[in-house]
Amino acid sequence: MDDAYSVSVSASELTETGGLDQLMTLKSDDLFMVADTWGDLKGGADGLFVHDTRVLSRFVMSVGLAKPSKLSSGVSQDNVFFSCHTTNRPLPPMGGRSAPAGVLHIERRRFLWDRRMFERVRMVNHGVEDILLPLAFDFGADFADIFQVRGTPRAKRGKSDAPTHDGRRVNFRYEGLDGVTRSSCLAFSEPPARLTGQRAEFMFSLPKGRSMDLFIECGVDACDTPDAHRFRVNAVAARLAMRVKRRRGASVRGPRSPRFNDWLDQSRADVALLTTDLPTGPYPYAGIPWFSTPFGRDGIITAWQMLWLDPSLARGVLTYLAARQATEVSAFQDSAPGKIMHETRGGEMSALGEVPFHLYYGGVDTTCLFVALAGAYARRTGDLETIKRLWPHLIAATGWMRDYGDANGDGFISYQRGADTGLSNQGWKDSEDSIFHSDGRFPKGPIALLEVQGYAYAAWKAMADLGAALKDERADEWLAKAESTRRLVEERYWMDDEGFYAVALDGDGQQCRAIASNAGHLLFTGLPSRERAEKVTRRLLSHEFRSGWGVRTLATGQPRFNPMSYHNGSVWPHDTALGAAGMAQYGEREAVALLLGEIYGAASHFQMRLPELFCGFKREAGEPPIAYPVACLPQAWAAGSVFLMLQASLGVSIDAIEKRVDISSPHLPNGIDRLNVTNLQIGDAHLDLVFQRVDNHVVVTPSNKRGEVQVRTLR
């Protein structure tokens, strides 16, 4: 992210929480929560958020004026429930009696559903005497915009009313500078002994051997009185809804690989958690906490990663983005007719234009990716009816590529931000220092990124294929444009002395000769010649790039290399996955299986949940990968990476138009001897695939085939 909008939560706040990887996250539609491992909200990134606004900023439980002792905590594997098990420290004397430590079991169980947080606090007395239990909650709602939470300063903000309360609920209200009134409500099933606008105090009499429940709700609407029935009914609804999301499309399992299955299950659950069912269809939000909103690039790549298993994501992403396609030129929004959005935000700062992200188009690659995904979706599904509905938007997108993306007429898609408020770098590496010359100088614009030209090549090819299928007479013209793009990239970006591609061309047409992972994305599009692809593959697999946990974003020894940076030497799982899938385009599967094993190794140290990125330090025996402290966790395209890498390693290619599945030189990662792909849909047909290691080869066996589909094994 550009420095103007980079995440700058203070180091002290991150130290207190143990970093974002130690935060507990829940999400339901546009509502999400970030808490510490006790379930408390204490500051920093913590909070209950809806539409980029924090509606509950503090929520801390104490037992007898002290923080309880934690026994364990975590989020369920399906991402629906957070639970924390604690016990009491010695309680203060009450009526001449005091309770020793460790006689109470106190469980906090929480989930989000229907624009609400639901929580049950269950208290069980395992002591030999009755106990008077003082329980308290400190709370508050600051209605901070997500960009404030991330560290972007504001000169002024709206007016917060003093909280109002009755016997068992507290109401918070904020009048924003945008004229919108935002409110939230916190309610308890039992009336507190003392209730203010910041604190609720309870005194429970808990007989020995008995238990008691306190139910709590927090929502953006008026609160009903919480109770056991509401908690139970809504918990069932939340779990069933998540189950439906997780079971969309085909599944992949390794029957004798429990740890690998845990990774597959966690990754699938994370994609499901981040996916919101919008009126246009399912859309994977980018990540929690900083990017829980539709992003164009992230949504497209996540949908592409999942395409072979679950095409419904791609249809939802394409339909949503088409509905928000730009129709006018705006320097502030970085928009032009036909361009596909980069991100959208719903908070006060975006509405006021303090940041440009209410509906922002400053992504140079998203429009090309949109068109390319449409082509991949059509091949995967044969769903030309959806393509026909999208056709005017696809034509408009190619119009942007021709008229605005290639603004200087040199045949390359380039960017230069329209206003100082926008992102200075507009590819996926969008931090301010991510694109530079080999001596470390920043290039003058407009900048033509290497991988974007690959996406443009894939887009023109997709339009040619789709045009032929729809009998559009421009199909040959688009195919010629693809070939022209391929030829220009090979002529202008290749560096013979390096055996590699330059990361970009600057505004003077000079190569930015930094050696970066962007070349792996070019392989993914299939643009390079085989000879050059092999050279790029060898270098990406060298120790310059491979950390042992995946591929670094920048080769060691390059100017600005820093394994702790956001884009200049860190490891991004989705970046490694796209590079691996690119290698597979040229028949390299053994290396893909190797990289898949390295990313799996990293996942095993992150509780099987891959973060947005982690540091690019060299892997050392017996030591874990080093976390990047403010990485989103979960992140959609990190979670989807395993599925793209599996497809690449297994050599699976699906063409529903031809009613065919091709399996080319399949490889399984080390330690995995069998994988089952079940309920794979190809048009109206379904089948299962079993991949089994036999001696030194992997064989595939189709089964349970229903409908017309051909399976070919290629070597």
Side-chain angles (χ1 to χ4, degrees), residues 27-32 51 241-242 245 248 270-288 291-294 312-313 316-317 320 636:
K27 177 182 173 296
S28 174
D29 295 333
D30 287 310
L31 185 73
F32 74 90
H51 297 306
M242 184 63 77
K245 289 182 182 181
R248 286 173 178 156
D270 284 351
V271 173
L273 173 72
L274 292 166
T275 297
T276 298
D277 288 328
L278 302 173
T280 47
Y283 200 106
Y285 286 9
I288 298 174
F291 308 122
S292 188
T293 188
S312 70
L313 273 185
V317 166
Y320 179 91

Side-chain angles (χ1 to χ4, degrees), residues 522-568:
L522 194 69
L523 299 184
F524 177 71
T525 68
L527 183 149
S529 68
R530 179 166 294 277
E531 178 186 2
R532 289 181 176 179
E534 289 173 353
K535 290 182 178 180
V536 169
T537 295
R538 284 198 297 271
R539 194 151 188 190
L540 288 174
L541 293 174
S542 74
H543 292 300
E544 283 182 283
F545 277 104
R546 273 183 56 218
S547 68
W549 302 113
V551 175
R552 298 182 182 96
T553 51
L554 187 68
T556 57
Q558 293 294 299
R560 302 190 179 276
F561 173 80
N562 179 352
M564 300 175 290
S565 69
Y566 198 52
H567 287 128
N568 291 336

Side-chain angles (χ1 to χ4, degrees), residues 497-531:
D497 57 332
E498 294 282 1
F500 210 75
Y501 290 94
V503 71
L505 301 181
D506 69 10
D508 293 325
Q510 298 300 307
Q511 292 178 342
C512 297
R513 292 172 58 86
I515 307 300
S517 65
N518 305 54
H521 296 228
L522 194 69
L523 299 184
F524 177 71
T525 68
L527 183 149
S529 68
R530 179 166 294 277
E531 178 186 2

Side-chain angles (χ1 to χ4, degrees), residues 361-630:
Y361 294 85
V364 69
D365 49 2
T366 310
T367 307
C368 302
L369 283 167
F370 170 78
V371 178
L373 177 63
Y377 171 79
R379 284 194 307 276
R380 170 62 184 86
T381 63
D383 178 13
L384 293 181
E385 290 305 313
T386 294
I387 297 300
K388 289 176 183 176
R389 291 193 295 272
L390 293 171
W391 196 241
H393 301 282
L394 295 169
I395 295 295
T398 57
W400 175 85
M401 292 168 62
R402 181 190 63 240
D403 299 333
Y404 296 95
D406 183 12
N408 55 12
D410 62 359
F412 297 121
I413 306 294
S414 58
Y415 67 90
Q416 188 163 8
R417 65 179 172 185
D420 289 343
T421 52
L423 298 176
S424 56
N425 280 318
Q426 299 189 354
W428 85 263
K429 295 179 179 178
D430 58 1
S431 50
E432 190 176 47
D433 63 348
S434 61
I435 305 300
F436 48 87
H437 284 283
S438 59
D439 59 2
R441 289 179 297 114
F442 295 131
K444 62 179 288 189
I447 298 168
L449 291 170
L450 171 68
E451 75 275 14
V452 176
Q453 316 318 314
Y455 301 152
Y457 167 75
W460 292 121
K461 279 191 68 178
M463 288 300 290
D465 292 343
L466 295 174
L470 298 180
K471 305 292 191 289
D472 191 302
E473 61 186 15
R474 293 167 288 187
D476 288 342
E477 174 187 335
W478 291 321
L479 185 60
K481 183 63 176 172
E483 177 55 29
S484 171
T485 300
R486 189 198 65 77
R487 186 177 62 254
L488 279 171
V489 171
E490 294 283 53
E491 289 175 358
R492 299 287 301 282
Y493 285 82
W494 183 252
M495 301 180 292
D496 270 323
D497 57 332
E498 294 282 1
F500 210 75
Y501 290 94
V503 71
L505 301 181
D506 69 10
D508 293 325
Q510 298 300 307
Q511 292 178 342
C512 297
R513 292 172 58 86
I515 307 300
S517 65
N518 305 54
H521 296 228
L522 194 69
L523 299 184
F524 177 71
T525 68
L527 183 149
S529 68
R530 179 166 294 277
E531 178 186 2
R532 289 181 176 179
E534 289 173 353
K535 290 182 178 180
V536 169
T537 295
R538 284 198 297 271
R539 194 151 188 190
L540 288 174
L541 293 174
S542 74
H543 292 300
E544 283 182 283
F545 277 104
R546 273 183 56 218
S547 68
W549 302 113
V551 175
R552 298 182 182 96
T553 51
L554 187 68
T556 57
Q558 293 294 299
R560 302 190 179 276
F561 173 80
N562 179 352
M564 300 175 290
S565 69
Y566 198 52
H567 287 128
N568 291 336
S570 54
V571 174
W572 289 63
H574 91 280
D575 184 43
T576 295
L578 285 169
M583 296 173 196
Q585 290 270 11
Y586 296 88
E588 176 55 77
R589 305 212 184 277
E590 187 173 346
V592 173
L594 174 68
L595 290 173
L596 176 58
E598 291 185 354
I599 291 290
Y600 170 43
S604 68
H605 288 285
F606 290 113
Q607 291 75 52
M608 294 304 176
R609 170 179 271 179
L610 282 172
E612 175 187 17
L613 73 155
F614 46 91
C615 293
F617 291 105
K618 179 183 176 182
R619 184 173 185 168
E620 300 290 348
E623 297 183 12
I626 298 173
Y628 186 83
V630 293

Side-chain angles (χ1 to χ4, degrees), residues 175-238:
E175 295 180 19
L177 297 176
D178 58 352
V180 175
T181 298
R182 296 168 173 87
S183 62
S184 59
C185 175
L186 182 66
F188 302 92
S189 60
E190 301 292 331
R194 181 171 181 266
L195 180 64
T196 70
Q198 296 82 34
R199 184 174 171 88
E201 298 177 353
F202 299 86
M203 183 64 70
F204 294 116
S205 177
L206 194 57
K208 61 182 179 180
R210 301 291 295 275
S211 66
M212 177 179 293
D213 291 340
L214 174 68
F215 295 94
I216 305 168
E217 293 183 24
C218 182
V220 294
D221 306 313
C223 290
D224 295 322
T225 301
D227 58 32
H229 175 74
R230 285 179 55 80
F231 185 89
R232 184 172 58 254
V233 168
N234 285 281
V236 170

